[in-house]
Each structure stands twice: as structure tokens, then as C-alpha cells.
Amino acid sequence: MTVMSNTATAVHFHDQQPPAASLTLRDELLQGLRAAPKRSSPKFFYDLRGSELFDRICVQPEYYPTRTEEAILRDAADDIADVVGKDATLIELGSGASRKVRLLLEAVRPTSYLGIDISRDFLLDSTRRLAADYPWLDVHAACADFSQRMTMPSGLACDHPVAFFPGSSIGNFAPEEAECFLRGLHSLLPSGSGLLIGVDLIKDEAILNAAYNDAAGVTAAFNLNLLERLRHEFEGDLDPATFSHQAFYNESRSRIEMHLVSDIDQTIRVSGEVFHFDQGETLHTENSYKYSVEGFRALAARAGFESRALWTDPDKLFSIHYLERA
Ligand code: AVI
């Protein structure tokens, strides 16, 4: 593990990307394209442009999760601070722009903060800004794929770790993967550690469908950007204009599905390999699972986390759970 300390911005940077990461990513991508039906992991969305587009999704009027979760965090910051307790090390998984944690920092006053994200440039930029704005906070950044097994970076004081996983990113795992992911966290964290986690709730289908089909087309651009990434990073020979964005709520599985639909019968090439798409055939790019409060509590309990507190908004659109590692 490389550790670099940038004194100008006081961010301690821990690079946990395995050296052969791009090879692993390529293999994973090709495996998904060979599958029937074709699929790709949502993590492929998040190159620099994808991360920027995701930030723009978060402020679209139809995309309620971000503003609702932020309102809950703002309103409940003092209660959250009481439950979390003193001298915490906040560990944000998939920290992105590190915006939500700002709503907690003054109330919770953790000793240190660790942002973990797969998008290195985005991570460095946002943690540098955080360190500049909160000079009393010991800021660390780890470039890592938090969905894989991780280790705690050395040099991070970690007496009372509290993982922070906002945004309902847990919903991008299938329920059995989510449980497995929480089990991984369970083995990483000592007993008594906390997990503050945002979980999107099951609701009216029209609200869900609108949230993933915003009128400004930002979610569509986010989905289609995956094809640009295939072209630029994985020697993709394809025309993104021949694909369309598709997103819909699958009620029987309580999930939004996002797909890229081929508008024509065509053959594309990625990393020298040929893939055929029939007209109307899709590449399944993301699932976003929605939970009931009880459903999520039961899942967390199976992974060894006990429910300690819960906050929701008045319309019951979104939930924030505080769980304790048993
Ligand atoms: C990051 N994740 C929780 C978002 C979601 O809602 O599932 C990603 C996203 N995809 C389309 N819009 C937002």
C-alpha cells in the first residue's frame, strides 16, 4: 500500500487499488458482455465524467433521494451525534463529493474522517476541499473498491469506527450481495462500531420511474456515458448514438432497472472481442433496490448488525438507519 501525505492540503492518501486493477476491471466487463442477458456492474459508471454526471443527477427535481436524505441528516444531526457518541472515526464508503458528511461534521465532531472511493481524482479533489474547510479534522482518503475486501489504512486512529454509507448505494447490490457486503463490514469493524446507512424506501411507482427518467436527460447521459468509457478505456468500437437509455421499476423485485437498449441490429467490439446485439436487446447496467424499514432491518440483522435508531422524512420516501455491529 502506498501512503502519500500532502502537507499543503493535509489529506493522507492511501492507494488500495491493486496494481492489476485495470486488468481485473477489463475481465469483469468482458464477462458481463459475454453473459446472457448482457450486464455490466454499476461501478463502471464512475469515471470522472460519470461521477460529475451523478452529481448532476442528485440535483434533478425528480431525483428525490439526495435532497430527502440531506434534509433528514440536517434535521437529525444532533440526534445522530447523540447516538454516534464522541471521538468517532467516520469512514465514508463511496464518498464521492463528500457533501453529505458535511451535514454531520459540526454536530458529530469526529476525530478523523476516511473517505473511500474508486474514482481517484474525484476523491482527492473532494477530500482536499474537506480538509481545507475543516482544519480541525484529520482527513484520510483511500482509493479502493469498497465492494471488495478492504483493510483499514495504517496511521488512522480508529478507536470508535462509524461507517457512513449514504445515498442508498446499498440498493445497487442485490439483496444477497448487500448481506454479504454487510458481513464483510462486520468482519472489518470491531464490536460496538456503528453503521449509519441511507436506504431508499419502497414507494409509489410513478415517483420511482420519474426519478430515473429525469426530463433534463441527465440520468440518460449518465447511463450512456458507460459506452463512452468502453470506447476510451476498453478499446470499444461502437456508436453510442445507436443505444438508448431505459429505466423502469420492476415491482416484483422491488428494484429500478437501468438498461442500454440497442436501437439496431449490430455488432460491436470491446477489447478486440466481438459482441452482437439484436435490435431491442439490452445491456443491463444497474439495479437500484428499494426496501421497507423492516425488510432492511431483517437483512442487516442477518449480517450481524442490530438496529439502534431510525430517521425518515414525513413522506416516508427515504430512511437512515443507525446499526451497531453486534
Ligand atoms: C448511487 N446510487 C444509489 C444511485 C441510485 O439511485 O441507485 C445511482 C443512480 N443511478 C441512476 N440514478 C442514480
Side-chain angles (χ1 to χ4, degrees), residues 42 45-46 54 57-58 63-66 100 166-172 198 200 211-214 218-220 222-223 245 247 256 258 286-290 318:
F45 284 137
Y46 299 95
F54 178 64
I57 288 177
C58 293
Y63 194 75
Y64 64 85
T66 310
K100 288 174 190 160
S168 200
S169 294
I170 192 82
N172 295 132
D200 199 6
Y212 293 81
N213 290 283
D214 61 277
V218 184
T219 307
F222 172 74
N223 198 9
H245 162 74
I256 284 280
M258 287 219 312
E286 187 179 65
N287 288 317
S288 189
Y289 283 83
K290 312 301 169 187
F318 202 89

Side-chain angles (χ1 to χ4, degrees), residues 63-124:
Y63 194 75
Y64 64 85
T66 310
R67 64 169 183 277
T68 310
E69 185 180 40
E70 287 179 357
I72 300 172
L73 288 172
R74 220 173 273 122
D75 292 350
D78 290 338
D79 289 353
I80 292 172
D82 284 347
V83 181
V84 166
K86 288 193 187 320
D87 301 326
T89 294
L90 269 188
I91 303 168
E92 187 171 10
L93 309 169
S95 52
S98 302
R99 209 178 52 219
K100 288 174 190 160
V101 76
R102 288 168 180 260
L103 301 169
L104 294 177
L105 287 177
E106 289 300 346
V108 175
R109 283 258 159 185
T111 352
S112 26
Y113 168 84
L114 167 66
I116 303 174
D117 206 287
I118 198 168
S119 178
R120 172 195 303 254
D121 296 342
F122 212 62
L123 170 74
L124 275 175

